[in-house]
Amino acid sequence: MSVLVYVENAEGKFKKSTFEAVSYAKEVADKLNTNLVAISIGNVADATLADLGKYGANKVLFVSNEKLKTFVNQAYASIIASAAKTEDAKVVVLSASFSGKGLAPRIAVKLEAGLVDGAVELPEMTDGKFNVKKNAFSGKAFAHVELTSDRKIISLVPNSYKVVEKPVTAEITAFESTAAESDFQVMVREIVRASDKVSLPDAELVVSAGRGLKGPENWGMIEELANLLGAATACSKPVSDAGWRPHEEHVGQTGIAVSPNLYIAIGISGAIQHLAGVSSSKVIVVINKDAEAPFFKVADYGIVGDAFEVVPKLIEAIRKF
Ligand code: FAD
């Protein structure tokens, strides 16, 4: 038996969330006293695959051909499921990323496995059963889910588990694609990057602003603060609805859920629908001129003040740092 981890790449490189999934899967494999096998799909250089050994992958399977260059949900799920069968994997771990969220249920159906999507901690394991803590209700609560199936699938929320180095020598092996023609009925032809800015779902630092900013012309200071910190920019829903900011920056219940190490909320009231997407951030800093704004209730640090005075001072202080 083994533990299998799907190692997602972006343009041939592994993301931090991938290493988090590998570290998580390694810990599960160690507890089960078994090997960790990684499966990579798409074009990834051998040296990059071998790097996975640093995080404890004993074996790395790779599938690369032209048709699999970009993400194809059904085909990727078929390959991961067949790798799980070949390697007799009792646990399959993947990141709860955009593609991971699409893959996990498909793999679960193919393997007739139990699934926990959105795990935030290592499972407690007793007598072949897993008890897994996961996000529930868009991050407003946690649930403890018991997995009793023989095979188990776990998708891990990015930024909820640390990357740990556990070096071993990884055996790199080609794996034959088992995807059928019918798996390629829906394909992404091309991915066009909207900008070179830090990607919001993977960001460790996020600077976010709301209607308190009054209009799109005032986002210069938000961009400047984000650039100085190496952070991604985000916004509340009304801001993107009004077209002040692009929709891909909208966070919350109906937008992107983020869990960065630092979330700075500027001129955002902290409505429950906004908090649903940001409440699992490690540290929340709120800047709002209304001391009664609900966001302060969940803030680790708060500044009651006018954003147009506070943010320029913050930028000035960081520049001196
Ligand atoms: P406002 O509520 O207008 O708050 C602006 C804040 O800025 C206020 O707290 C004010 O004190 C402060 N402010 C004003 N001027 C300044 C200044 N000069 N300096 C500092 N602070 C200042 N919202 C989301 O964000 N994400 C979602 O995913 C989402 N999903 C929703 C789903 C549903 C079904 C519904 C009904 C609503 C949803 N909403 C969502 C909307 C949500 O309810 C709020 O209306 C919204 O989050 C408010 O955005 P805001 O805080 O930017 O604006």
Side-chain angles (χ1 to χ4, degrees):
M1 97 175 230
S2 68
V3 170
L4 183 75
V5 59
Y6 166 57
V7 284
E8 183 181 337
N9 75 80
E11 292 163 14
K13 302 224 162 55
F14 294 127
K15 302 196 234 177
K16 178 172 163 270
S17 54
T18 300
F19 296 124
E20 289 165 3
V22 176
S23 298
Y24 182 96
K26 180 64 177 174
E27 199 60 36
V28 174
D30 281 355
K31 288 207 166 124
L32 295 175
N33 211 9
T34 189
N35 275 345
L36 176 62
V37 181
I39 170 109
S40 162
I41 307 174
N43 296 339
V44 181
D46 282 0
T48 309
L49 293 173
D51 245 12
L52 294 168
K54 214 193 300 176
Y55 307 97
N58 303 91
K59 189 176 185 183
V60 180
L61 306 174
F62 71 90
V63 185
S64 67
N65 68 42
E66 259 324 285
K67 267 177 124 177
L68 295 164
K69 233 169 78 181
T70 52
F71 177 63
V72 192
N73 221 327
Q74 197 60 34
Y76 276 39
S78 294
I79 294 167
I80 297 166
S82 75
K85 284 182 187 159
T86 310
E87 295 296 321
D88 190 22
K90 294 294 181 208
V91 185
V92 179
V93 176
L94 60 169
S95 177
S97 59
F98 174 75
S99 42
K101 282 180 188 160
L103 286 170
R106 287 178 169 83
I107 300 167
V109 169
K110 286 176 191 297
L111 295 176
E112 296 182 358
L115 161 68
V116 171
D117 64 322
V120 292
E121 277 180 15
L122 279 171
E124 280 171 25
M125 304 176 208
T126 36
D127 302 331
K129 291 181 190 163
F130 282 16
N131 194 311
V132 194
K133 184 177 174 184
K134 61 159 277 176
N135 274 339
F137 301 114
S138 314
K140 286 196 283 293
F142 294 112
H144 292 268
V145 182
E146 194 169 68
L147 272 179
T148 54
S149 51
D150 180 39
R151 280 209 170 97
K152 301 169 180 71
I153 318 285
I154 300 175
S155 74
L156 176 71
V157 172
N159 234 346
S160 60
Y161 195 77
K162 58 191 179 314
V163 175
V164 184
E165 292 194 9
K166 285 198 172 174
V168 292
T169 306
E171 174 198 336
I172 315 289
T173 311
F175 186 75
E176 196 65 40
S177 167
T178 47
E181 240 353 273
S182 55
D183 288 332
F184 291 92
Q185 282 169 2
V186 179
M187 285 182 72
V188 178
R189 289 254 168 255
E190 192 186 4
I191 296 173
V192 181
R193 196 183 274 275
S195 77
D196 286 335
K197 288 197 296 188
V198 181
S199 128
L200 183 56
D202 299 318
E204 290 188 34
L205 310 173
V206 174
V207 176
S208 187
R211 214 149 39 177
L213 265 280
K214 317 285 185 231
E217 66 280 6
N218 295 323
W219 247 262
M221 62 181 184
I222 302 299
E223 298 261 3
E224 194 178 351
L225 180 59
N227 282 343
L228 275 173
L229 295 171
T233 46
C235 67
S236 64
K237 183 173 183 293
V239 163
S240 64
D241 284 350
W244 296 0
R245 298 298 290 175
H247 272 290
E248 60 267 22
E249 286 197 4
H250 153 205
V251 290
Q253 184 186 320
T254 47
I256 291 174
V258 293
S259 49
N261 292 333
L262 175 66
Y263 185 80
I264 305 179
I266 304 166
I268 304 176
S269 56
I272 189 140
Q273 296 90 354
H274 185 86
L275 298 182
V278 307
S279 54
S280 55
S281 306
K282 303 266 184 322
V283 175
I284 296 178
V285 175
V286 170
I287 301 170
N288 196 304
K289 70 175 185 185
D290 175 9
E292 301 297 318
F295 223 141
F296 284 118
K297 291 202 180 99
V298 296
D300 296 281
Y301 302 94
I303 302 173
V304 179
D306 188 329
F308 296 98
E309 289 169 19
V310 176
V311 175
K313 281 187 186 153
L314 208 54
I315 290 171
E316 201 184 311
I318 294 169
R319 280 200 189 287
K320 283 188 196 146
F321 204 64

